[in-house]
Amino acid sequence: MEQLAQNATAVFKEFFDAEPAYVGNAPGRVNLIGEHTDYNDGFVLPAAINFGTVVAASPRSDRSMSVVALDFDNERSDFDLDTLADAEASSWMSYVRGVLLALMEQYPDIKGAELTVTGNVPQGAGLSSSASFEIALLKAMASLNNLPLSGADAAKMGQLAENKYAGCNCGIMDQMISACGAKDRALLLDCRSLETKYTSVPADFSVMIINSNVKRGLVESEYNLRREQCEAAAAAMGLTSLRDASLELLNAAKDKMSTKEYQRALHVLTENERTLTMFDALNASDIATCSKMMAESHASMRDDFEITVPPIDYLVELLNGFLGTGGGVRMTGGGFGGCIVALVADAKVEEAKELVLENYEKETGIAPSIFVCSAEAGAFTQA
Ligand code: GLA
């Protein structure tokens, strides 16, 4: 992050001829368990990671904005907050536009700013590069304008930017953990009440992330379809959310929904249970139970929710065989490619890496990327 901050500051000076008044960042995330439960008002257990987005910024006294994106060849965009709603935007600017419009729904009178932005969350890997971008931007604008924004307020705005302006009907997990993560902790989030509880990764264990580097296709349409199927299953039970369903209710209403809708709901209901069980297991440093929950979560994503792909299943099987009940592994994130997450004893990390490097490319023809991560504070977390 320090290197990113230096880069953002250097480019800021180059473009705006002054030191930035503010330099801050927001992290990406890895989800330990609780997949596709957030938009069903359920439970998730993510951690913020040591990859993120940095913004360098200075306030202006008028309503003009200038934004420079380091990761897009220092592309610069100049616009006015008053006419932003009618402006066309594509690529990274569409996120800037969505976030600022979401912010202005609550704070219409914010002042403009000069900003440079850069990040190192791998894009399209299921590690929430876009949520990290949204929360980093919101944090910068909140700081420059002295807005009394809480982490949860910012998360809701980031989600609104996705839902209303980027066309992705995502839940609130990614933005919440980017805003409210804690150093060395994972966060159990109740996505209905937004109640937060923290727990540690057991001592002597590392969180490993392996990017399958499978190019993700149709992600948004498949994602939005899953959400529709979950809502249809809830409606068939006479409910507005799967949070209020039980397995008994689901089985009793099986004939009122399609097979796919039943399977999607089954995943969500069992995943909520697994997430709560894993939180308790982490608190008790009970790795065998974590291992079981992660394995069952993966099988449920593969068989019931149908969001995994063969190279991801291969990686999970490979590591599962190696770790046994002494560690855990599953796909993480929205699905259709992206990353797996593993809880690995520190003493086994090197061997696990070698195993993946020796086998994955041979099997799939794709080179993997491996990260050993630390859990970091969120952008809005008070020190
Ligand atoms: C994406 C979405 C999240 C969540 C996950 C799946 O990351 O942005 O809201 O639904 O997928 O758990």
Side-chain angles (χ1 to χ4, degrees):
M1 280 307 166
E2 233 144 73
Q3 186 58 51
L4 290 184
Q6 280 174 22
N7 298 347
T9 304
V11 173
F12 189 95
K13 285 190 209 161
E14 197 183 303
F15 275 78
F16 304 115
D17 227 7
E19 289 282 338
Y22 164 96
V23 181
N25 70 73
R29 65 100 185 89
V30 64
N31 191 19
L32 298 181
I33 197 164
E35 223 63 81
H36 287 262
T37 44
D38 61 350
Y39 55 79
N40 291 300
D41 284 348
F43 298 95
V44 293
L45 186 53
I49 55 175
N50 51 326
F51 292 85
T53 306
V54 168
V55 172
S58 285
R60 292 181 56 98
S61 49
D62 58 14
R63 296 266 286 169
S64 306
M65 295 279 306
S66 298
V67 188
V68 178
L70 272 71
D71 307 324
F72 291 81
D73 291 330
N74 287 355
E75 196 182 331
R76 174 175 178 154
S77 178
D78 297 286
F79 55 94
D80 198 288
L81 289 174
D82 291 317
T83 51
L84 186 58
D86 305 319
E88 294 275 318
S90 59
S91 173
W92 60 275
M93 241 320 279
S94 62
Y95 284 92
V96 174
R97 177 175 178 272
V99 166
L100 292 173
L101 291 177
L103 179 63
M104 285 194 289
E105 287 193 15
Q106 210 165 317
Y107 297 102
D109 301 325
I110 52 167
K111 294 277 195 289
E114 288 160 344
L115 306 150
T116 55
V117 188
T118 183
N120 63 359
V121 185
Q123 286 180 22
L127 300 176
S128 297
S129 58
S130 62
S132 128
F133 183 89
E134 290 150 15
I135 296 297
L137 195 57
L138 284 164
K139 176 70 184 180
M141 293 306 285
S143 302
L144 298 181
N145 286 279
N146 287 318
L147 307 177
L149 216 58
S150 70
D153 293 337
K156 286 182 203 159
M157 286 172 186
Q159 187 194 17
L160 182 67
E162 291 276 353
N163 293 173
K164 190 163 164 185
Y165 301 106
C168 176
N169 285 327
C170 68
I172 199 153
M173 164 169 71
D174 306 344
Q175 290 78 11
M176 269 301 280
I177 185 65
S178 181
C180 303
K183 179 89 189 132
D184 298 329
R185 299 268 188 278
L187 164 68
L188 176 71
L189 174 68
D190 177 338
C191 297
R192 173 171 268 177
S193 65
L194 297 191
E195 190 195 339
T196 53
K197 285 185 193 165
Y198 295 86
T199 183
S200 312
V201 171
D204 308 328
F205 273 79
S206 295
V207 176
M208 249 176 109
I209 299 175
I210 302 167
N211 191 346
S212 67
N213 287 324
V214 172
K215 275 223 176 330
R216 302 200 306 166
L218 295 174
V219 180
E220 273 175 14
S221 57
E222 285 293 334
Y223 184 94
N224 290 343
L225 174 63
R226 292 298 179 285
R227 184 170 181 154
E228 283 164 25
Q229 290 167 330
C230 290
E231 286 165 357
M237 288 183 271
L239 303 170
T240 51
S241 160
L242 287 180
R243 173 66 178 270
D244 301 314
S246 62
L247 282 177
E248 293 73 41
L249 204 57
L250 177 64
N251 286 326
K254 198 170 176 178
D255 297 344
K256 296 192 194 139
M257 59 185 85
S258 71
T259 311
K260 292 287 177 213
E261 286 160 3
Y262 173 81
Q263 279 175 246
R264 306 313 185 225
L266 186 61
H267 163 75
V268 171
L269 265 57
T270 54
E271 186 78 350
N272 276 332
E273 285 304 315
R274 286 186 289 268
T275 303
L276 294 172
T277 304
M278 173 125 168
F279 178 75
D280 290 341
L282 281 175
N283 270 335
S285 295
D286 173 359
I287 296 296
T289 300
C290 292
S291 176
K292 185 163 185 269
M293 291 306 112
M294 291 174 86
E296 288 178 6
S297 168
H298 188 80
S300 178
M301 290 190 288
R302 184 190 59 213
D303 303 337
D304 291 335
F305 220 67
E306 297 179 294
I307 53 172
T308 71
V309 293
I312 286 273
D313 292 334
Y314 172 78
L315 268 178
V316 167
E317 248 170 65
L318 183 69
L319 278 170
N320 217 3
F322 172 69
L323 296 170
T325 55
V329 56
R330 59 185 282 282
M331 186 194 80
T332 185
F336 309 99
C339 293
I340 67 157
V341 60
L343 272 184
V344 184
D346 292 342
K348 287 197 154 190
V349 165
E350 281 313 310
E351 237 182 300
K353 275 188 195 169
E354 275 165 31
L355 184 73
V356 171
L357 290 174
E358 267 167 30
N359 293 286
Y360 179 71
E361 190 168 358
K362 239 187 264 165
E363 171 77 19
T364 62
I366 315 166
S369 319
I370 305 178
F371 315 95
V372 178
C373 284
S374 53
E376 297 297 327
F380 285 79
T381 307
Q382 302 292 335

